[in-house]
Amino acid sequence: MAANVKFWDKHAKGYAKRVIADNQAYQYKLKQSRQYFSKQATAIEVGCGTGSTALLHAPYLKHLLATDLSSGMLDIAEQKRQQQNIENVDFKQATIEDLDVNEPVDVVLALNIIHLLEDKETAIGKIMTWLKPGGVLITSTPCLGDRMKFFKVIGPIGKALGLMPLVKVFTEQELLSSFIQQGFSIEQQWRPNKAISSFIVARKPKAE
């Protein structure tokens, strides 16, 4: 964990300057996500990075708690929030493992984070407990096992050299199975041709 924090703190400023590789796909994911929002809805985003997506979603929600393990990332996110004068987003330093949620929320966003977790099944199971009955988990996750299997070899080397964070390699089908095993139903699934990341909306069962 400490190594991951150090890596993301070190790269926070460079990450903030990165240009979105496929803006058309990004805009589509924003639009699809907002189908599940309302001005009465509360949400959590895990792995929010420098806060860009959280702040774009803010006008469509009642409140959004955005979390990340990197204080460097969150410092930049908070600067953006203040510059944009957005009042309904709070940034907090936390991991999925140590975040306590007292009031269940309508939506959890886990964007470009699940492949960076040591144990995705445990994390998905914990996210389930944060959601209200019928709530949704929205993810966009690189599934490197489908098209970049070589990451199983270079990933550990890059991590050992401090050049990469922890990166897990799994297929889209394995990711879907992880959601289903934790009790979610798959409501939406989309991945453009040749894209690495899969956009998935998974719903928690409604109360009987």
Side-chain angles (χ1 to χ4, degrees):
M1 181 64 68
N4 277 346
V5 173
K6 183 178 179 180
F7 176 89
W8 291 112
D9 281 347
K10 179 180 178 181
H11 291 87
K13 290 183 179 179
Y15 184 89
K17 296 176 182 178
R18 286 172 53 182
V19 177
I20 296 170
D22 187 343
N23 189 58
Q24 184 175 358
Y26 179 68
Q27 295 299 325
Y28 177 81
K29 293 174 186 178
L30 292 178
K31 182 178 179 180
Q32 293 301 111
S33 298
R34 289 168 185 162
Q35 293 182 17
Y36 303 92
F37 296 175
S38 76
K39 294 294 261 182
Q40 292 75 46
T42 55
I44 295 171
E45 182 180 355
V46 291
C48 69
T50 58
S52 296
T53 299
L55 296 172
L56 286 172
H57 280 325
Y60 302 88
L61 292 162
K62 179 180 179 181
H63 183 264
L64 173 59
L65 172 64
T67 71
D68 201 276
L69 58 76
S70 167
S71 61
M73 293 281 193
L74 293 173
D75 287 345
I76 296 170
E78 178 60 21
Q79 290 173 18
K80 291 180 183 179
R81 188 195 68 78
Q82 293 181 21
Q83 290 168 359
Q84 297 176 39
N85 196 30
I86 293 175
E87 300 294 336
N88 65 328
V89 175
D90 290 315
F91 292 106
K92 180 177 181 178
Q93 186 174 12
T95 65
I96 293 175
E97 293 80 6
D98 62 27
L99 180 64
D100 292 322
V101 176
N102 297 321
E103 293 290 334
V105 297
D106 300 281
V107 179
V108 174
L109 298 159
L111 310 173
N112 297 307
I113 182 65
I114 292 177
H115 67 303
L116 302 177
L117 303 176
E118 182 65 46
D119 184 347
K120 68 181 186 300
E121 282 75 22
T122 298
I124 292 168
K126 185 165 187 183
I127 288 171
M128 170 75 85
T129 69
W130 300 345
L131 286 165
K132 296 177 183 178
V136 294
L137 166 59
I138 300 174
T139 77
S140 182
T141 303
C143 298
L144 302 175
D146 290 318
R147 297 188 175 107
M148 300 177 70
K149 293 180 180 179
F150 58 84
F151 252 90
K152 284 189 175 181
V153 177
I154 68 169
I157 297 172
K159 183 176 183 295
L161 295 174
L163 302 175
M164 294 172 56
L166 171 73
V167 178
K168 290 288 186 173
V169 178
F170 47 77
T171 66
E172 182 181 56
Q173 189 55 55
E174 289 170 337
L175 178 61
L176 290 168
S177 295
S178 293
F179 293 135
I180 293 169
Q181 287 169 9
Q182 296 302 319
F184 284 99
S185 60
I186 305 304
E187 183 136 325
Q188 187 177 158
Q189 175 188 355
W190 179 74
R191 179 163 67 166
N193 291 335
K194 298 183 180 180
I196 297 171
S197 293
S198 180
F199 178 79
I200 298 168
V201 180
R203 188 176 291 278
K204 179 176 180 174
K206 296 180 179 179
E208 295 183 357

